[in-house]
């Protein structure tokens, strides 16, 4: 099992479920910062067409290419279905942002053979590991 930092280092494409257009929300600033450090961010939000200069998709199933990591900015109760959806598209890993914890989501991820991180922030782990995808 890889550590959170290893999962992040090995991921090039991150689908962000619950990505926000509101620059005051972490669901906007965190993906934007990850993008600035070289990760491709695919926003998943049914209410917008584009975020961060990338096309936004209403659901994970609508993304037409593989993703390496599904990052979740949704309440814990919603995370269960997001993890099911991530398993359905064959995502190798799922990450629940800081403050999001779900025993059922963890169980679903483990049963699907997906790596699982919860209650951790992408940008904190990126900074702690001094990670970048920039050349």
């Amino acid at each position: 099992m890889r550590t959170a930092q290893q999962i992040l280092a090995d991921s090039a494409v991150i689908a962000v479920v619950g990505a926000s257009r509101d620059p005051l929300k972490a669901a906007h600033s965190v993906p934007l910062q990850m993008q600035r450090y070289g990760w491709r961010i695919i926003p998943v939000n049914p209410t917008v067409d584009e975020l961060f200069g990338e096309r936004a998709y209403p659901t994970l199933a609508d993304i037409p290419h593989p993703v390496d990591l599904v990052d979740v900015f949704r309440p814990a109760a919603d995370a269960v279905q997001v993890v099911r959806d991530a398993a359905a598209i064959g995502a190798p890993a799922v990450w629940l942002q800081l403050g999001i914890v779900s025993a059922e989501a963890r169980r679903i991820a483990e049963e699907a053979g997906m790596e699982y991180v919860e209650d951790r922030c992408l940008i904190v782990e990126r900074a702690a590991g001094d990670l970048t995808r920039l050349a």
Side-chain angles (χ1 to χ4, degrees):
M1 188 69 92
R2 297 178 297 169
T3 67
Q5 288 180 13
Q6 288 169 329
I7 291 168
L8 191 52
D10 293 343
S11 299
V13 179
I14 303 173
V16 180
V17 178
S20 176
R21 65 180 142 208
D22 182 347
L24 299 177
K25 291 187 174 183
H28 179 91
S29 60
V30 169
L32 185 59
Q33 184 171 354
M34 295 303 293
Q35 186 182 57
R36 288 178 179 155
Y37 279 93
W39 279 266
R40 180 165 183 213
I41 300 298
I42 307 299
V44 179
N45 181 325
T47 67
V48 298
D49 294 327
E50 183 179 302
L51 274 173
F52 322 119
E54 289 276 353
R55 178 176 172 196
Y57 295 92
T59 69
L60 287 171
D62 294 314
I63 300 172
H65 51 76
V67 299
D68 301 312
L69 175 62
V70 173
D71 182 37
V72 182
F73 274 100
R74 299 292 304 145
D78 296 349
V80 172
Q81 186 58 50
V82 174
V83 173
R84 283 189 185 112
D85 295 345
I89 66 164
V94 66
W95 186 300
L96 277 57
Q97 279 295 135
L98 196 61
I100 307 170
V101 176
S102 171
E104 186 175 357
R106 176 183 290 277
R107 181 188 57 76
I108 292 165
E110 289 172 352
E111 288 176 0
M114 296 170 31
E115 291 182 293
Y116 182 85
V117 177
E118 67 181 7
D119 194 24
R120 292 183 115 158
C121 182
L122 289 177
I123 60 173
V124 170
E125 293 300 324
R126 188 220 60 78
D130 195 27
L131 303 173
T132 183
R133 296 205 61 85
L134 298 173

PDB file of all heavy atoms in Angstrom, residues 69-104:
ATOM      1  N   LEU A  69      -6.465   9.533  -9.898  1.00  0.00           N
ATOM      2  CA  LEU A  69      -6.896   9.769  -8.528  1.00  0.00           C
ATOM      3  C   LEU A  69      -8.211  10.531  -8.557  1.00  0.00           C
ATOM      4  O   LEU A  69      -8.364  11.464  -9.348  1.00  0.00           O
ATOM      5  CB  LEU A  69      -5.827  10.600  -7.793  1.00  0.00           C
ATOM      6  CG  LEU A  69      -6.108  11.062  -6.367  1.00  0.00           C
ATOM      7  CD1 LEU A  69      -6.285   9.865  -5.432  1.00  0.00           C
ATOM      8  CD2 LEU A  69      -4.984  11.972  -5.872  1.00  0.00           C
ATOM      9  N   VAL A  70      -9.146  10.129  -7.713  1.00  0.00           N
ATOM     10  CA  VAL A  70     -10.401  10.866  -7.542  1.00  0.00           C
ATOM     11  C   VAL A  70     -10.327  11.552  -6.186  1.00  0.00           C
ATOM     12  O   VAL A  70     -10.215  10.899  -5.151  1.00  0.00           O
ATOM     13  CB  VAL A  70     -11.629   9.935  -7.628  1.00  0.00           C
ATOM     14  CG1 VAL A  70     -12.904  10.694  -7.276  1.00  0.00           C
ATOM     15  CG2 VAL A  70     -11.732   9.315  -9.027  1.00  0.00           C
ATOM     16  N   ASP A  71     -10.363  12.886  -6.232  1.00  0.00           N
ATOM     17  CA  ASP A  71     -10.310  13.706  -5.029  1.00  0.00           C
ATOM     18  C   ASP A  71     -11.725  14.170  -4.714  1.00  0.00           C
ATOM     19  O   ASP A  71     -12.441  14.626  -5.603  1.00  0.00           O
ATOM     20  CB  ASP A  71      -9.390  14.907  -5.282  1.00  0.00           C
ATOM     21  CG  ASP A  71      -9.239  15.796  -4.069  1.00  0.00           C
ATOM     22  OD1 ASP A  71      -9.194  15.264  -2.944  1.00  0.00           O
ATOM     23  OD2 ASP A  71      -9.142  17.023  -4.254  1.00  0.00           O
ATOM     24  N   VAL A  72     -12.130  14.060  -3.445  1.00  0.00           N
ATOM     25  CA  VAL A  72     -13.524  14.301  -3.066  1.00  0.00           C
ATOM     26  C   VAL A  72     -13.653  15.520  -2.159  1.00  0.00           C
ATOM     27  O   VAL A  72     -13.109  15.542  -1.056  1.00  0.00           O
ATOM     28  CB  VAL A  72     -14.120  13.053  -2.368  1.00  0.00           C
ATOM     29  CG1 VAL A  72     -15.583  13.281  -2.017  1.00  0.00           C
ATOM     30  CG2 VAL A  72     -13.942  11.811  -3.236  1.00  0.00           C
ATOM     31  N   PHE A  73     -14.393  16.499  -2.651  1.00  0.00           N
ATOM     32  CA  PHE A  73     -14.782  17.679  -1.879  1.00  0.00           C
ATOM     33  C   PHE A  73     -16.295  17.668  -1.704  1.00  0.00           C
ATOM     34  O   PHE A  73     -16.990  18.578  -2.114  1.00  0.00           O
ATOM     35  CB  PHE A  73     -14.392  18.972  -2.623  1.00  0.00           C
ATOM     36  CG  PHE A  73     -12.992  19.422  -2.376  1.00  0.00           C
ATOM     37  CD1 PHE A  73     -12.008  19.157  -3.306  1.00  0.00           C
ATOM     38  CD2 PHE A  73     -12.657  20.133  -1.235  1.00  0.00           C
ATOM     39  CE1 PHE A  73     -10.712  19.598  -3.102  1.00  0.00           C
ATOM     40  CE2 PHE A  73     -11.363  20.576  -1.022  1.00  0.00           C
ATOM     41  CZ  PHE A  73     -10.384  20.308  -1.966  1.00  0.00           C
ATOM     42  N   ARG A  74     -16.810  16.627  -1.120  1.00  0.00           N
ATOM     43  CA  ARG A  74     -18.239  16.470  -0.861  1.00  0.00           C
ATOM     44  C   ARG A  74     -18.390  15.979   0.570  1.00  0.00           C
ATOM     45  O   ARG A  74     -17.466  15.390   1.127  1.00  0.00           O
ATOM     46  CB  ARG A  74     -18.865  15.452  -1.829  1.00  0.00           C
ATOM     47  CG  ARG A  74     -18.782  15.814  -3.307  1.00  0.00           C
ATOM     48  CD  ARG A  74     -19.615  17.011  -3.696  1.00  0.00           C
ATOM     49  NE  ARG A  74     -20.998  16.787  -3.319  1.00  0.00           N
ATOM     50  CZ  ARG A  74     -21.816  17.738  -2.887  1.00  0.00           C
ATOM     51  NH1 ARG A  74     -21.400  18.966  -2.761  1.00  0.00           N
ATOM     52  NH2 ARG A  74     -23.058  17.457  -2.561  1.00  0.00           N
ATOM     53  N   PRO A  75     -19.559  16.187   1.170  1.00  0.00           N
ATOM     54  CA  PRO A  75     -19.769  15.689   2.536  1.00  0.00           C
ATOM     55  C   PRO A  75     -19.578  14.169   2.615  1.00  0.00           C
ATOM     56  O   PRO A  75     -19.748  13.454   1.615  1.00  0.00           O
ATOM     57  CB  PRO A  75     -21.225  16.070   2.820  1.00  0.00           C
ATOM     58  CG  PRO A  75     -21.554  17.157   1.864  1.00  0.00           C
ATOM     59  CD  PRO A  75     -20.723  16.898   0.640  1.00  0.00           C
ATOM     60  N   ALA A  76     -19.244  13.706   3.808  1.00  0.00           N
ATOM     61  CA  ALA A  76     -18.996  12.276   4.018  1.00  0.00           C
ATOM     62  C   ALA A  76     -20.153  11.411   3.524  1.00  0.00           C
ATOM     63  O   ALA A  76     -19.932  10.338   2.948  1.00  0.00           O
ATOM     64  CB  ALA A  76     -18.709  11.997   5.492  1.00  0.00           C
ATOM     65  N   ALA A  77     -21.379  11.865   3.714  1.00  0.00           N
ATOM     66  CA  ALA A  77     -22.539  11.081   3.270  1.00  0.00           C
ATOM     67  C   ALA A  77     -22.532  10.895   1.750  1.00  0.00           C
ATOM     68  O   ALA A  77     -22.956   9.856   1.244  1.00  0.00           O
ATOM     69  CB  ALA A  77     -23.836  11.761   3.706  1.00  0.00           C
ATOM     70  N   ASP A  78     -22.034  11.875   1.014  1.00  0.00           N
ATOM     71  CA  ASP A  78     -21.954  11.782  -0.450  1.00  0.00           C
ATOM     72  C   ASP A  78     -20.741  10.980  -0.901  1.00  0.00           C
ATOM     73  O   ASP A  78     -20.711  10.474  -2.025  1.00  0.00           O
ATOM     74  CB  ASP A  78     -21.878  13.172  -1.075  1.00  0.00           C
ATOM     75  CG  ASP A  78     -23.120  14.001  -0.843  1.00  0.00           C
ATOM     76  OD1 ASP A  78     -24.141  13.460  -0.376  1.00  0.00           O
ATOM     77  OD2 ASP A  78     -23.065  15.213  -1.135  1.00  0.00           O
ATOM     78  N   ALA A  79     -19.735  10.891  -0.049  1.00  0.00           N
ATOM     79  CA  ALA A  79     -18.487  10.223  -0.425  1.00  0.00           C
ATOM     80  C   ALA A  79     -18.699   8.757  -0.759  1.00  0.00           C
ATOM     81  O   ALA A  79     -18.003   8.200  -1.608  1.00  0.00           O
ATOM     82  CB  ALA A  79     -17.459  10.361   0.689  1.00  0.00           C
ATOM     83  N   VAL A  80     -19.671   8.126  -0.129  1.00  0.00           N
ATOM     84  CA  VAL A  80     -19.949   6.707  -0.386  1.00  0.00           C
ATOM     85  C   VAL A  80     -20.267   6.491  -1.863  1.00  0.00           C
ATOM     86  O   VAL A  80     -19.677   5.630  -2.519  1.00  0.00           O
ATOM     87  CB  VAL A  80     -21.097   6.200   0.520  1.00  0.00           C
ATOM     88  CG1 VAL A  80     -21.515   4.801   0.135  1.00  0.00           C
ATOM     89  CG2 VAL A  80     -20.663   6.263   1.985  1.00  0.00           C
ATOM     90  N   GLN A  81     -21.168   7.287  -2.411  1.00  0.00           N
ATOM     91  CA  GLN A  81     -21.523   7.136  -3.823  1.00  0.00           C
ATOM     92  C   GLN A  81     -20.365   7.549  -4.734  1.00  0.00           C
ATOM     93  O   GLN A  81     -20.134   6.928  -5.768  1.00  0.00           O
ATOM     94  CB  GLN A  81     -22.776   7.944  -4.176  1.00  0.00           C
ATOM     95  CG  GLN A  81     -23.267   7.696  -5.601  1.00  0.00           C
ATOM     96  CD  GLN A  81     -23.584   6.231  -5.869  1.00  0.00           C
ATOM     97  OE1 GLN A  81     -24.299   5.591  -5.114  1.00  0.00           O
ATOM     98  NE2 GLN A  81     -23.035   5.674  -6.945  1.00  0.00           N
ATOM     99  N   VAL A  82     -19.628   8.562  -4.336  1.00  0.00           N
ATOM    100  CA  VAL A  82     -18.474   8.977  -5.148  1.00  0.00           C
ATOM    101  C   VAL A  82     -17.461   7.837  -5.241  1.00  0.00           C
ATOM    102  O   VAL A  82     -16.916   7.569  -6.316  1.00  0.00           O
ATOM    103  CB  VAL A  82     -17.823  10.254  -4.587  1.00  0.00           C
ATOM    104  CG1 VAL A  82     -16.536  10.582  -5.351  1.00  0.00           C
ATOM    105  CG2 VAL A  82     -18.789  11.436  -4.648  1.00  0.00           C
ATOM    106  N   VAL A  83     -17.220   7.147  -4.139  1.00  0.00           N
ATOM    107  CA  VAL A  83     -16.270   6.028  -4.163  1.00  0.00           C
ATOM    108  C   VAL A  83     -16.815   4.896  -5.039  1.00  0.00           C
ATOM    109  O   VAL A  83     -16.068   4.285  -5.805  1.00  0.00           O
ATOM    110  CB  VAL A  83     -15.929   5.553  -2.737  1.00  0.00           C
ATOM    111  CG1 VAL A  83     -15.094   4.285  -2.770  1.00  0.00           C
ATOM    112  CG2 VAL A  83     -15.192   6.657  -1.979  1.00  0.00           C
ATOM    113  N   ARG A  84     -18.107   4.646  -4.967  1.00  0.00           N
ATOM    114  CA  ARG A  84     -18.705   3.635  -5.872  1.00  0.00           C
ATOM    115  C   ARG A  84     -18.481   4.036  -7.332  1.00  0.00           C
ATOM    116  O   ARG A  84     -18.115   3.219  -8.173  1.00  0.00           O
ATOM    117  CB  ARG A  84     -20.201   3.506  -5.608  1.00  0.00           C
ATOM    118  CG  ARG A  84     -20.551   2.721  -4.381  1.00  0.00           C
ATOM    119  CD  ARG A  84     -22.063   2.448  -4.312  1.00  0.00           C
ATOM    120  NE  ARG A  84     -22.384   1.810  -3.069  1.00  0.00           N
ATOM    121  CZ  ARG A  84     -23.099   2.364  -2.083  1.00  0.00           C
ATOM    122  NH1 ARG A  84     -23.597   3.585  -2.217  1.00  0.00           N
ATOM    123  NH2 ARG A  84     -23.327   1.713  -0.968  1.00  0.00           N
ATOM    124  N   ASP A  85     -18.711   5.320  -7.624  1.00  0.00           N
ATOM    125  CA  ASP A  85     -18.525   5.824  -8.991  1.00  0.00           C
ATOM    126  C   ASP A  85     -17.060   5.741  -9.413  1.00  0.00           C
ATOM    127  O   ASP A  85     -16.761   5.407 -10.568  1.00  0.00           O
ATOM    128  CB  ASP A  85     -19.015   7.272  -9.098  1.00  0.00           C
ATOM    129  CG  ASP A  85     -20.515   7.422  -8.871  1.00  0.00           C
ATOM    130  OD1 ASP A  85     -21.245   6.401  -8.911  1.00  0.00           O
ATOM    131  OD2 ASP A  85     -20.950   8.567  -8.648  1.00  0.00           O
ATOM    132  N   ALA A  86     -16.151   6.027  -8.488  1.00  0.00           N
ATOM    133  CA  ALA A  86     -14.718   5.933  -8.785  1.00  0.00           C
ATOM    134  C   ALA A  86     -14.330   4.495  -9.101  1.00  0.00           C
ATOM    135  O   ALA A  86     -13.556   4.236 -10.025  1.00  0.00           O
ATOM    136  CB  ALA A  86     -13.898   6.469  -7.615  1.00  0.00           C
ATOM    137  N   ALA A  87     -14.875   3.557  -8.344  1.00  0.00           N
ATOM    138  CA  ALA A  87     -14.609   2.140  -8.606  1.00  0.00           C
ATOM    139  C   ALA A  87     -15.154   1.750  -9.977  1.00  0.00           C
ATOM    140  O   ALA A  87     -14.502   1.007 -10.731  1.00  0.00           O
ATOM    141  CB  ALA A  87     -15.222   1.272  -7.514  1.00  0.00           C
ATOM    142  N   ALA A  88     -16.325   2.272 -10.327  1.00  0.00           N
ATOM    143  CA  ALA A  88     -16.957   1.925 -11.600  1.00  0.00           C
ATOM    144  C   ALA A  88     -16.140   2.394 -12.804  1.00  0.00           C
ATOM    145  O   ALA A  88     -16.172   1.755 -13.864  1.00  0.00           O
ATOM    146  CB  ALA A  88     -18.372   2.507 -11.669  1.00  0.00           C
ATOM    147  N   ILE A  89     -15.391   3.492 -12.657  1.00  0.00           N
ATOM    148  CA  ILE A  89     -14.572   3.960 -13.784  1.00  0.00           C
ATOM    149  C   ILE A  89     -13.154   3.397 -13.726  1.00  0.00           C
ATOM    150  O   ILE A  89     -12.316   3.717 -14.564  1.00  0.00           O
ATOM    151  CB  ILE A  89     -14.525   5.499 -13.886  1.00  0.00           C
ATOM    152  CG1 ILE A  89     -13.795   6.124 -12.692  1.00  0.00           C
ATOM    153  CG2 ILE A  89     -15.926   6.076 -14.077  1.00  0.00           C
ATOM    154  CD1 ILE A  89     -13.370   7.580 -12.905  1.00  0.00           C
ATOM    155  N   GLY A  90     -12.874   2.582 -12.722  1.00  0.00           N
ATOM    156  CA  GLY A  90     -11.555   1.947 -12.622  1.00  0.00           C
ATOM    157  C   GLY A  90     -10.472   2.846 -12.066  1.00  0.00           C
ATOM    158  O   GLY A  90      -9.283   2.601 -12.303  1.00  0.00           O
ATOM    159  N   ALA A  91     -10.845   3.857 -11.307  1.00  0.00           N
ATOM    160  CA  ALA A  91      -9.833   4.727 -10.691  1.00  0.00           C
ATOM    161  C   ALA A  91      -9.007   3.896  -9.695  1.00  0.00           C
ATOM    162  O   ALA A  91      -9.577   3.156  -8.900  1.00  0.00           O
ATOM    163  CB  ALA A  91     -10.491   5.901  -9.986  1.00  0.00           C
ATOM    164  N   PRO A  92      -7.697   4.025  -9.719  1.00  0.00           N
ATOM    165  CA  PRO A  92      -6.876   3.230  -8.803  1.00  0.00           C
ATOM    166  C   PRO A  92      -6.850   3.742  -7.369  1.00  0.00           C
ATOM    167  O   PRO A  92      -6.493   3.004  -6.464  1.00  0.00           O
ATOM    168  CB  PRO A  92      -5.477   3.295  -9.424  1.00  0.00           C
ATOM    169  CG  PRO A  92      -5.486   4.500 -10.294  1.00  0.00           C
ATOM    170  CD  PRO A  92      -6.896   4.733 -10.725  1.00  0.00           C
ATOM    171  N   ALA A  93      -7.236   5.026  -7.182  1.00  0.00           N
ATOM    172  CA  ALA A  93      -7.157   5.600  -5.834  1.00  0.00           C
ATOM    173  C   ALA A  93      -8.217   6.679  -5.654  1.00  0.00           C
ATOM    174  O   ALA A  93      -8.623   7.330  -6.615  1.00  0.00           O
ATOM    175  CB  ALA A  93      -5.768   6.189  -5.590  1.00  0.00           C
ATOM    176  N   VAL A  94      -8.617   6.851  -4.397  1.00  0.00           N
ATOM    177  CA  VAL A  94      -9.582   7.894  -4.037  1.00  0.00           C
ATOM    178  C   VAL A  94      -9.069   8.604  -2.796  1.00  0.00           C
ATOM    179  O   VAL A  94      -8.431   7.990  -1.937  1.00  0.00           O
ATOM    180  CB  VAL A  94     -10.997   7.297  -3.840  1.00  0.00           C
ATOM    181  CG1 VAL A  94     -11.051   6.371  -2.652  1.00  0.00           C
ATOM    182  CG2 VAL A  94     -12.049   8.369  -3.742  1.00  0.00           C
ATOM    183  N   TRP A  95      -9.348   9.912  -2.749  1.00  0.00           N
ATOM    184  CA  TRP A  95      -8.808  10.757  -1.684  1.00  0.00           C
ATOM    185  C   TRP A  95      -9.932  11.631  -1.160  1.00  0.00           C
ATOM    186  O   TRP A  95     -10.486  12.432  -1.903  1.00  0.00           O
ATOM    187  CB  TRP A  95      -7.712  11.622  -2.282  1.00  0.00           C
ATOM    188  CG  TRP A  95      -6.921  12.468  -1.343  1.00  0.00           C
ATOM    189  CD1 TRP A  95      -7.398  13.442  -0.523  1.00  0.00           C
ATOM    190  CD2 TRP A  95      -5.506  12.448  -1.183  1.00  0.00           C
ATOM    191  NE1 TRP A  95      -6.361  14.027   0.159  1.00  0.00           N
ATOM    192  CE2 TRP A  95      -5.190  13.434  -0.238  1.00  0.00           C
ATOM    193  CE3 TRP A  95      -4.478  11.694  -1.741  1.00  0.00           C
ATOM    194  CZ2 TRP A  95      -3.882  13.689   0.160  1.00  0.00           C
ATOM    195  CZ3 TRP A  95      -3.187  11.939  -1.350  1.00  0.00           C
ATOM    196  CH2 TRP A  95      -2.893  12.922  -0.406  1.00  0.00           C
ATOM    197  N   LEU A  96     -10.269  11.495   0.117  1.00  0.00           N
ATOM    198  CA  LEU A  96     -11.256  12.357   0.756  1.00  0.00           C
ATOM    199  C   LEU A  96     -10.508  13.481   1.463  1.00  0.00           C
ATOM    200  O   LEU A  96      -9.606  13.231   2.253  1.00  0.00           O
ATOM    201  CB  LEU A  96     -12.102  11.582   1.761  1.00  0.00           C
ATOM    202  CG  LEU A  96     -13.286  10.786   1.199  1.00  0.00           C
ATOM    203  CD1 LEU A  96     -12.880   9.786   0.143  1.00  0.00           C
ATOM    204  CD2 LEU A  96     -14.035  10.101   2.327  1.00  0.00           C
ATOM    205  N   GLN A  97     -10.893  14.705   1.135  1.00  0.00           N
ATOM    206  CA  GLN A  97     -10.199  15.882   1.642  1.00  0.00           C
ATOM    207  C   GLN A  97     -10.313  16.013   3.158  1.00  0.00           C
ATOM    208  O   GLN A  97     -11.096  15.316   3.810  1.00  0.00           O
ATOM    209  CB  GLN A  97     -10.748  17.130   0.959  1.00  0.00           C
ATOM    210  CG  GLN A  97     -10.156  17.376  -0.428  1.00  0.00           C
ATOM    211  CD  GLN A  97      -8.681  17.681  -0.419  1.00  0.00           C
ATOM    212  OE1 GLN A  97      -7.929  17.141  -1.218  1.00  0.00           O
ATOM    213  NE2 GLN A  97      -8.215  18.533   0.456  1.00  0.00           N
ATOM    214  N   LEU A  98      -9.565  16.942   3.688  1.00  0.00           N
ATOM    215  CA  LEU A  98      -9.505  17.211   5.118  1.00  0.00           C
ATOM    216  C   LEU A  98     -10.907  17.374   5.702  1.00  0.00           C
ATOM    217  O   LEU A  98     -11.735  18.097   5.160  1.00  0.00           O
ATOM    218  CB  LEU A  98      -8.695  18.493   5.343  1.00  0.00           C
ATOM    219  CG  LEU A  98      -8.186  18.760   6.743  1.00  0.00           C
ATOM    220  CD1 LEU A  98      -7.236  17.662   7.199  1.00  0.00           C
ATOM    221  CD2 LEU A  98      -7.471  20.110   6.771  1.00  0.00           C
ATOM    222  N   GLY A  99     -11.171  16.647   6.785  1.00  0.00           N
ATOM    223  CA  GLY A  99     -12.467  16.719   7.451  1.00  0.00           C
ATOM    224  C   GLY A  99     -13.497  15.739   6.930  1.00  0.00           C
ATOM    225  O   GLY A  99     -14.591  15.649   7.479  1.00  0.00           O
ATOM    226  N   ILE A 100     -13.168  14.986   5.894  1.00  0.00           N
ATOM    227  CA  ILE A 100     -14.124  14.028   5.320  1.00  0.00           C
ATOM    228  C   ILE A 100     -13.664  12.614   5.675  1.00  0.00           C
ATOM    229  O   ILE A 100     -12.577  12.187   5.288  1.00  0.00           O
ATOM    230  CB  ILE A 100     -14.245  14.191   3.793  1.00  0.00           C
ATOM    231  CG1 ILE A 100     -14.560  15.643   3.436  1.00  0.00           C
ATOM    232  CG2 ILE A 100     -15.329  13.253   3.248  1.00  0.00           C
ATOM    233  CD1 ILE A 100     -14.454  15.952   1.961  1.00  0.00           C
ATOM    234  N   VAL A 101     -14.509  11.900   6.416  1.00  0.00           N
ATOM    235  CA  VAL A 101     -14.205  10.549   6.894  1.00  0.00           C
ATOM    236  C   VAL A 101     -15.445   9.699   6.688  1.00  0.00           C
ATOM    237  O   VAL A 101     -16.559  10.125   7.000  1.00  0.00           O
ATOM    238  CB  VAL A 101     -13.828  10.576   8.387  1.00  0.00           C
ATOM    239  CG1 VAL A 101     -13.597   9.170   8.920  1.00  0.00           C
ATOM    240  CG2 VAL A 101     -12.605  11.458   8.623  1.00  0.00           C
ATOM    241  N   SER A 102     -15.254   8.480   6.155  1.00  0.00           N
ATOM    242  CA  SER A 102     -16.386   7.577   5.961  1.00  0.00           C
ATOM    243  C   SER A 102     -15.920   6.132   6.001  1.00  0.00           C
ATOM    244  O   SER A 102     -15.196   5.680   5.105  1.00  0.00           O
ATOM    245  CB  SER A 102     -17.072   7.859   4.611  1.00  0.00           C
ATOM    246  OG  SER A 102     -18.032   6.856   4.339  1.00  0.00           O
ATOM    247  N   ALA A 103     -16.351   5.422   7.034  1.00  0.00           N
ATOM    248  CA  ALA A 103     -15.998   4.003   7.144  1.00  0.00           C
ATOM    249  C   ALA A 103     -16.582   3.214   5.983  1.00  0.00           C
ATOM    250  O   ALA A 103     -15.942   2.302   5.451  1.00  0.00           O
ATOM    251  CB  ALA A 103     -16.492   3.449   8.477  1.00  0.00           C
ATOM    252  N   GLU A 104     -17.799   3.563   5.546  1.00  0.00           N
ATOM    253  CA  GLU A 104     -18.407   2.828   4.434  1.00  0.00           C
ATOM    254  C   GLU A 104     -17.670   3.097   3.125  1.00  0.00           C
ATOM    255  O   GLU A 104     -17.441   2.179   2.338  1.00  0.00           O
ATOM    256  CB  GLU A 104     -19.887   3.187   4.294  1.00  0.00           C
ATOM    257  CG  GLU A 104     -20.569   2.329   3.238  1.00  0.00           C
ATOM    258  CD  GLU A 104     -22.068   2.564   3.137  1.00  0.00           C
ATOM    259  OE1 GLU A 104     -22.628   3.357   3.913  1.00  0.00           O
ATOM    260  OE2 GLU A 104     -22.667   1.937   2.246  1.00  0.00           O
TER     261      GLU A 104
END
